[in-house]
C-alpha cells in the first residue's frame, strides 16, 4: 500500500518566510525516499489544510503537525479542516505532552489518516535544541562553561506551550552538558527580558522554541533581551549584555535536523521509513559552520 507524508503548518499572509522551514524539511524527507509522496499544507497559505489530502494519491497518509504544542490548532483546527469527523482529542490520551497518534478515515477522500502529535513535544526535539546551540556557537562540543535558555510563550497563550518549554529544558538539564539550563517566557516569569539574571556563567545560548522566525523571534526577543534597541539595526552574535555574552540562535524550527523529528513522528505512528531516519540524520547533522 502506498504511503504519503503530509506536514501541516500555520503559514502566514504577512510573513512569507514563515513557511520556508516546512518546505525545507519536506524537501529533505522527500530526498530520503521513505514515502511515495511528501506534501505540505497550511492554515494561512496554499495548499490549504482543507485541500491537502486531495493532493495525495496514497491510500495511507501520515499527518505531522509542525506545531510546538498541543492546543487549539492541533486539537481543533487541523482535524476539522482534514475532515476527520470521528476525531476526539481523548483518542490521543495525552497529558498535554504525550500525544502520539490517532487513526481515522477522512470523510471526503476515504483515505486512512494517521494523525500524529505535534513535533514540538517529541523527545527528539531536545536534540534539535542542542544542535541549534552547536550551530550558533560553531562548536559541536559546546556545553562546558555555557548556560542554555529555552524560550517560548507562557501559559497565557496556551498551558501546554509552557509544558513543552519546561519539558525540553528539563531534558537538556538531564544531559548534564551545560553548566546552567533555564526555561524562560515572553509573557510570564521567569521572563526572557531578564535573561542575564538567571545565569552566573558568562556565556549563554538562547534558543526560542518556535517553528519559524517571525515577529517574536526577530523583533520582540532580541529587543527584550537587550541585544539591540532596534531590531532593524541588527545585533551581534554573541552580544554583550550586562556582563554576559548572549548567543541568540533564532527559531529552533529552522534547524535542518527538524526533518528528523518529523520522520520520527511518522515512524512512531507506524510508517515504514526504512533507513530514512539514519539518512536524514547524516545529511542534516553537518559540521557547524558548514552550509546547511
Amino acid at each position: 500500500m502506498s504511503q504519503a507524508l503530509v506536514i501541516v503548518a500555520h503559514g502566514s499572509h504577512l510573513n512569507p518566510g514563515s513557511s520556508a522551514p516546512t518546505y525545507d524539511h519536506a524537501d529533505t524527507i522527500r530526498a530520503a525516499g521513505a514515502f511515495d509522496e511528501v506534501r505540505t499544507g497550511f492554515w494561512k497559505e496554499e495548499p490549504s489544510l482543507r485541500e491537502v489530502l486531495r493532493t495525495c494519491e496514497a491510500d495511507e497518509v501520515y499527518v505531522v503537525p509542525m506545531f510546538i504544542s498541543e492546543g487549539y490548532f492541533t486539537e481543533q483546527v487541523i482535524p476539522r479542516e482534514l475532515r476527520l469527523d470521528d476525531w476526539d482529542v481523548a483518542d490521543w490520551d495525552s497529558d498535554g505532552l504525550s500525544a502520539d497518534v490517532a487513526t481515522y478515515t477522512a470523510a471526503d477522500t476515504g483515505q486512512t489518516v494517521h494523525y500524529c502529535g505535534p513535533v514540538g513535544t517529541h523527545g527528539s526535539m531536545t536534540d534539535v535544541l542542542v544542535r541549534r546551540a552547536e550551530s550558533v556557537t560553531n562548536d559541536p562540543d559546546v556545553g562546558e562553561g555555557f548556560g542554555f535558555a529555552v524560550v517560548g510563550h507562557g501559559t497565557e497563550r496556551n498551558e501546554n506551550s509552557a509544558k513543552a518549554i519546561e519539558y525540553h529544558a528539563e531534558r537538556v538539564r538531564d544531559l548534564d552538558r551545560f553548566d546552567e539550563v533555564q526555561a524562560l517566557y515572553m509573557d510570564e516569569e521567569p521572563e526572557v527580558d531578564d535573561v542575564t539574571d538567571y545565569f552566573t556563567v558568562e556565556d549563554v545560548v538562547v534558543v526560542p522554541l518556535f517553528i519559524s522566525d517571525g515577529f517574536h523571534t526577530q523583533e520582540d526577543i532580541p529587543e527584550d533581551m537587550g541585544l539591540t534597541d532596534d531590531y532593524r539595526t541588527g545585533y551581534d552574535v554573541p552580544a554583550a549584555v550586562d556582563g554576559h555574552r548572549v548567543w541568540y540562535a533564532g527559531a529552533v524550527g529552522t534547524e535542518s535536523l527538524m526533518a528528523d523529528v518529523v520522520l520520527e513522528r511518522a515512524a512512531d505512528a507506524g510508517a515504514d521509513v526504512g533507513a530514512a531516519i539514519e539518512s536524514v540524520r547524516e545529511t542534516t547533522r553537518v559540521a557547524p559552520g558548514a552550509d546547511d
Side-chain angles (χ1 to χ4, degrees), residues 80-274:
R80 181 189 71 222
E81 295 300 300
L82 295 179
R83 299 180 179 86
L84 305 182
D85 291 354
D86 294 329
W87 162 254
D88 185 337
V89 69
D91 292 344
W92 263 348
D93 190 24
S94 176
D95 59 3
L97 287 172
S98 56
D100 189 6
V101 64
T103 300
Y104 306 96
T105 300
D108 59 335
T109 66
Q111 291 159 304
T112 299
V113 176
H114 304 280
Y115 183 45
C116 303
V119 291
T121 58
H122 195 277
S124 59
M125 271 293 291
T126 305
D127 295 337
V128 187
L129 286 162
V130 172
R131 179 67 177 86
R132 200 85 189 114
E134 296 172 0
S135 296
V136 74
T137 59
N138 196 28
D139 181 1
D141 300 314
V142 64
E144 185 177 354
F146 273 76
F148 186 98
V150 187
V151 181
H153 286 296
T155 52
E156 183 178 318
R157 286 283 296 268
N158 171 8
E159 180 184 356
N160 288 334
S161 173
K163 284 184 180 180
I165 304 296
E166 293 287 351
Y167 170 67
H168 289 297
E170 188 61 33
R171 284 175 59 84
V172 173
R173 194 174 291 119
D174 288 344
L175 296 174
D176 200 25
R177 175 169 173 169
F178 296 88
D179 287 15
E180 300 167 288
V181 178
Q182 180 70 53
L184 299 174
Y185 302 96
M186 294 187 64
D187 48 26
E188 67 180 63
E189 295 289 339
E191 286 190 311
V192 69
D193 306 38
D194 307 314
V195 58
T196 57
D197 292 349
Y198 298 102
F199 292 91
T200 59
V201 291
E202 185 174 358
D203 287 286
V204 180
V205 175
V206 178
V207 184
L209 195 61
F210 286 80
I211 290 297
S212 61
D213 278 318
F215 179 69
H216 290 311
T217 64
Q218 294 178 321
E219 302 177 25
D220 286 346
I221 296 175
E223 291 183 2
D224 289 348
M225 289 195 298
L227 306 186
T228 178
D229 292 329
D230 185 342
Y231 76 92
R232 291 169 295 187
T233 64
Y235 48 86
D236 294 329
V237 179
V241 181
D242 298 332
H244 294 261
R245 283 192 298 266
V246 176
W247 304 74
Y248 180 55
V252 69
T254 62
E255 184 64 49
S256 57
L257 190 58
M258 275 292 296
D260 174 57
V261 185
V262 176
L263 266 178
E264 293 206 35
R265 267 291 184 218
D268 290 349
D272 179 6
V273 301

